[in-house]
Amino acid sequence: MITKKIDENLISVIPEDSDDLLNLRRIIKENDKIIGDTTRVLKQDKDYSRPDKGERIKVRIALTVEKISLDNVLDRLRVGGTISESSNESVPHGSHHSFILKINDGITISKKKWLPFEKNLLESSNNQIGFVLVAIDTGDSGIARLRGTHLEFMPNIYSGSGGKRYKTNFNIEKFFEQVQQAVSTILKERDTIVVFGPGETKKRFANFIQKSQNLQKFKVHVVEGIDSGGEDGIYTFTKSNIMKEIMSDSKLAKVSSIIDKVMLLANKKSKKFTMGFDETFNANQMGAVESLVFSDKAIQDDEQKMIDFLNDVESKGVKMYSVDSSTDIGLRVTGLGGIISLLRYSIES
């Protein structure tokens, strides 16, 4: 999340991914004020004009929040309320309006008092390291960017090699050049490039991009032990122990370790973990939760109830991680009731 503090009450934000939108859903509350650019239809008062016809204009408004909700399918946040200020005198104050906030949309949030955990949520994603994953073979290459626990895929790139054509006409450097160009479009500052796949192609590609002037400033990590390329190779990597070793500080690796510990405790019939909302809610009431993982599906069941719960957990200093269905880990958490936690001490059910 890109943030800029204007004063003690005003902070401007630009969400960069779905995690940021979720954090804004948890931060923005009823009676807060949202300031941003939008469009409004102004009715025409001319003689003989159609009553339903109007001109759509751009306007900057301040909205007093009455309702806020997530659209998980389309990665959008809807904020509804009444207009308290506007840059156009034709826009009536007190009328209703909704902001549809998407990734890379900017708004300013005004609060009478910012709570410490709300400020922490704004800053929580600023230090996240991104990884561009490249699963490459002579036949094709899968590319995805991992930030937090969200995996965003690009279309597979195919080399056109195969059979006799490969032996005579195939130029692997042209293929590498295509993959490099695709990687460059999603790379962001401080990202690490992780290259893997069967055979020696991964090493040859890593050497190729390290010679590129545009990519020399990025760290390139070559991984052994992933014997498939393309999209399948990326999924295999994100489920592997190798991922946890080389990306130990990443959010995905930490979540994966929590899931493994929960499954180990379950096999030992330990009481130092929870699965599902009710168990986790009761453990939180007792102050027993140490770390918690929840999936986007858990929020869809009862959004406001879940948001209130997450904010209460966060205010107690619990380490929390959100996951979505873009990774196998997100699907696993959904299958375990949508929410799991590790506890500081055992709780008898």
Side-chain angles (χ1 to χ4, degrees), residues 32 58 111 238 242 329 340 349:
D32 287 347
K58 289 185 177 181
K111 285 178 173 285
T238 58
I242 300 170
I329 285 173
I340 60 174
S349 55

Side-chain angles (χ1 to χ4, degrees), residues 8-56:
E8 289 301 313
N9 304 104
L10 291 166
I11 299 179
S12 293
V13 301
I14 300 175
E16 297 181 281
D17 57 27
S18 53
D19 271 2
D20 290 344
L21 287 176
L22 173 58
N23 284 346
L24 289 178
R25 171 63 181 90
R26 294 174 55 195
I27 289 167
I28 300 171
K29 294 184 175 68
E30 190 176 341
N31 294 322
D32 287 347
K33 190 176 287 187
I34 302 298
I35 304 161
D37 298 318
T38 186
T39 59
R40 290 277 289 184
V41 174
L42 295 183
K43 299 296 183 182
Q44 296 181 353
D45 294 327
K46 298 176 183 177
D47 291 342
Y48 309 113
S49 65
R50 287 173 53 186
D52 61 341
K53 190 176 181 182
E55 178 190 2
R56 184 169 289 277

Side-chain angles (χ1 to χ4, degrees), residues 9-192:
N9 304 104
L10 291 166
I11 299 179
S12 293
V13 301
I14 300 175
E16 297 181 281
D17 57 27
S18 53
D19 271 2
D20 290 344
L21 287 176
L22 173 58
N23 284 346
L24 289 178
R25 171 63 181 90
R26 294 174 55 195
I27 289 167
I28 300 171
K29 294 184 175 68
E30 190 176 341
N31 294 322
D32 287 347
K33 190 176 287 187
I34 302 298
I35 304 161
D37 298 318
T38 186
T39 59
R40 290 277 289 184
V41 174
L42 295 183
K43 299 296 183 182
Q44 296 181 353
D45 294 327
K46 298 176 183 177
D47 291 342
Y48 309 113
S49 65
R50 287 173 53 186
D52 61 341
K53 190 176 181 182
E55 178 190 2
R56 184 169 289 277
I57 63 164
K58 289 185 177 181
V59 61
R60 188 167 184 82
I61 65 170
L63 193 75
T64 301
V65 177
E66 295 176 350
K67 188 177 180 181
I68 180 167
S69 61
L70 280 167
D71 184 337
N72 291 301
V73 177
L74 298 175
D75 276 342
R76 302 188 306 183
L77 186 64
R78 183 184 294 271
V79 185
T82 54
I83 297 173
S84 57
E85 300 173 40
S86 69
S87 61
N88 189 309
E89 60 183 15
S90 299
V91 177
H93 294 185
S95 60
H96 285 268
H97 188 80
S98 289
F99 277 118
I100 307 297
L101 186 63
K102 301 185 292 296
I103 293 168
N104 296 323
D105 286 348
I107 58 165
T108 299
I109 305 169
S110 174
K111 285 178 173 285
K112 292 180 181 178
K113 182 180 180 181
W114 284 83
L115 299 176
F117 90 88
E118 293 172 339
K119 291 183 178 180
N120 289 339
L121 280 176
L122 284 182
E123 299 169 0
S124 62
S125 64
N126 289 351
N127 296 321
Q128 282 186 24
I129 300 171
F131 298 88
V132 173
L133 311 180
V134 183
I136 193 166
D137 195 3
T138 52
D140 68 343
S141 176
I143 304 170
R145 185 170 187 267
L146 175 69
R147 186 174 186 270
T149 59
H150 183 71
L151 199 57
E152 185 176 356
F153 281 89
M154 294 189 73
N156 272 15
I157 296 175
Y158 297 94
S159 68
S161 68
K164 294 180 180 178
R165 182 182 175 192
Y166 172 71
K167 295 176 183 177
T168 55
N169 300 324
F170 179 58
N171 184 336
I172 199 167
E173 292 211 349
K174 286 186 178 179
F175 172 49
F176 284 171
E177 196 171 306
Q178 283 183 293
V179 178
Q180 177 188 298
Q181 288 173 356
V183 166
S184 299
T185 62
I186 59 172
L187 264 176
K188 296 190 178 179
E189 193 174 353
R190 296 178 64 227
D191 278 359
T192 295

